[in-house]
Structures are given as C-alpha cells and as structure tokens.
Amino acid sequence: SQQGEEDPQALSIQEGENATMNCSYKTSINNLQWYRQNSGRGLVHLILIRSNEREKHSGRLRVTLDTSKKSSSLLITASRAADTASYFCATDSVGYGQNFVFGPGTRLSVLP
Amino acid sequence: ETGVTQTPRHLVMGMTNKKSLKCEQHLGHNAMYWYKQSAKKPLELMFVYNFKEQTENNSVPSRFSPECPNSSHLFLHLHTLQPEDSALYLCASSQEWVQRYEQYFGPGTRLTVT
C-alpha cells in the first residue's frame, strides 16, 4: 500500500478558480512536501510542512496538515493556465530507511 | 534552472548495450538521489548517496549500478536492460539526507530500451 496518495487523480478547472488537492498517508511523518511536475520534466519543490505545523502559505499556495487524520491539502488560488501540471505529495516517515515516498500525483488542467 | 543538470536528455539503447547517465549539481548539496518514473506509477526512489556514501538501495536490480565520485556528481551505469526499464530517470539533490530537506530535481533522462 502507498504511503502518500493524492486525491483526485485528475482535476480540470477554469482559469481564476481555486484548485484543491488532497494527500493521505498511513504512518507518522517528520514532514510532508508538495512538488509540481510539468509534463515530462523534473519536479519542482513547492512547500515543505513539518509535522508540528498546521498551515503554510507561499504566494498563491496554501498547504494544511492534519496529523490526526493523516492528511494534507494543497490549495492553489486564482489558478492560471501555467499551473497546469502534475502535483505530488511526498512524505518523510518517522524511522530510518526507506521512508521517503511520493504519491501517484494529481493531474491538474487549468483551462483558459 | 534548478542547479541540477542531467545528460543525456534522451537515450535509446538496445538490451545488450552499456550506457551511463550523468547528473551534476551546482548547489553545494551533500545528498544526491536517483529516481525512476514510469508511466502510471508513482515516482520510485532507487538510490541515495549522502556525502558520497550510498545510504539507500531500494531493491534495485543489479543491471543498474550507481556511482558517486564526489558530492557534486552522480552516475547511473546501465547494462543488459529490459524493455520495462524504459522510463524517465530523475536525479535530485538536497542539502542533507537526514530529515529530507527539499529536493532539487534535474530535468531527467528519457530512456527507451528496445
């Protein structure tokens, strides 16, 4: 079973609307990170939120973390066509070893 | 530009070939990573190097052989690959491995095994 799992798998919205993506995980974490990937390119780091934080902002991005529900959300406000990409959460689990896992991603399409 | 470069960007190789992927980071980071991204599968962490020492090998077949001569360079040597090894191979680096600081990714090498 996957540690990080995004929901929905795909999301299509109009420019100017807000986009919300969710990530659920199974084990205790040190931190959770969100990344963006444009088609066939490398990933770009967006935000890192630590287990003792509940909310972080960066420009039009807002990330929340609920450790009791083992879930995180990424909100993109006032979306633009350039936000079209795949968004991944990655969890750094407590413990040593193979603990850094990416979810399968949410494919966001922002239509002009 | 993220400060992480990868060459080549595209590679087509036969199953009997030997080739190498190269990654270089200009960020002064101490940890470097190889990931495999296949269609319709989550990103898979293959290897982790921290201060040139391999710290993780996630059950990767021996036909993939990593090499980290220094903290700025990372190679992935390929030999006797299978068609299912066709994927996007991504290199990343971070300040340190412990606590998984944010990772900076290269643009990837699109590998096709024929």
Side-chain angles (χ1 to χ4, degrees):
Chain A
S1 59
Q2 296 188 70
Q3 166 68 336
E5 193 155 340
E6 291 90 345
D7 166 56
Q9 292 186 349
L11 179 62
S12 186
I13 60 174
Q14 295 293 134
E15 244 183 342
E17 295 180 339
N18 296 341
T20 300
M21 288 159 273
N22 303 296
C23 172
S24 60
Y25 57 93
K26 299 185 186 333
T27 63
S28 296
I29 61 172
N30 294 309
N31 65 64
L32 184 146
Q33 303 180 36
W34 285 92
Y35 289 81
R36 183 187 77 232
Q37 184 181 33
N38 291 90
S39 182
R41 304 296 300 274
L43 280 72
V44 175
H45 181 265
L46 298 176
I47 287 186
L48 182 154
I49 185 164
R50 303 196 187 281
S51 60
N52 60 353
E53 298 175 311
R54 292 296 168 260
E55 187 171 313
K56 286 190 82 169
H57 297 256
S58 176
R60 294 183 295 112
L61 306 180
R62 172 177 168 251
V63 168
T64 62
L65 179 64
D66 187 334
T67 53
S68 66
K69 295 181 179 178
K70 291 186 169 60
S71 68
S72 173
S73 68
L74 170 67
L75 169 67
I76 304 175
T77 60
S79 64
R80 306 167 182 168
D83 294 327
T84 295
S86 291
Y87 291 83
F88 298 88
C89 70
T91 52
D92 178 24
S93 299
V94 173
Y96 184 90
Q98 305 171 16
N99 295 317
F100 192 68
V101 178
F102 279 84
T106 292
R107 175 68 188 169
L108 173 66
S109 297
V110 181
L111 307 175
Chain B
E1 292 295 328
T2 62
V4 180
T5 59
Q6 289 186 245
T7 55
R9 294 294 306 278
H10 300 272
L11 178 62
V12 179
M13 59 185 290
M15 294 169 61
T16 58
N17 290 160
K18 289 185 180 181
K19 296 287 185 183
S20 295
L21 309 184
K22 179 182 176 182
C23 175
E24 183 174 0
Q25 58 96 358
H26 309 273
L27 301 168
H29 289 166
N30 297 309
M32 296 188 76
Y33 312 79
W34 277 118
Y35 287 90
K36 175 183 179 183
Q37 188 175 36
S38 305
K40 300 181 180 179
K41 290 181 68 176
L43 205 61
E44 300 173 66
L45 179 61
M46 300 174 71
F47 302 103
V48 180
Y49 278 82
N50 194 47
F51 290 95
K52 302 188 300 179
E53 298 297 321
Q54 188 179 122
T55 55
E56 285 192 37
N57 175 343
N58 289 344
S59 302
V60 180
S62 60
R63 57 186 184 269
F64 294 91
S65 175
E67 178 190 1
C68 187
N70 55 62
S71 293
S72 298
H73 294 86
L74 186 64
F75 295 89
L76 187 63
H77 304 300
L78 316 171
H79 63 96
T80 325
L81 294 192
Q82 304 298 311
E84 59 264 30
D85 296 323
S86 297
L88 181 68
Y89 288 85
L90 293 163
C91 172
S93 70
S94 64
Q95 183 62 46
E96 291 184 31
W97 170 69
V98 175
Q99 295 186 1
R100 314 293 190 181
Y101 290 83
E102 53 262 43
Q103 297 183 24
Y104 293 76
F105 283 78
T109 294
R110 175 68 63 183
L111 174 67
T112 303
V113 181
T114 62

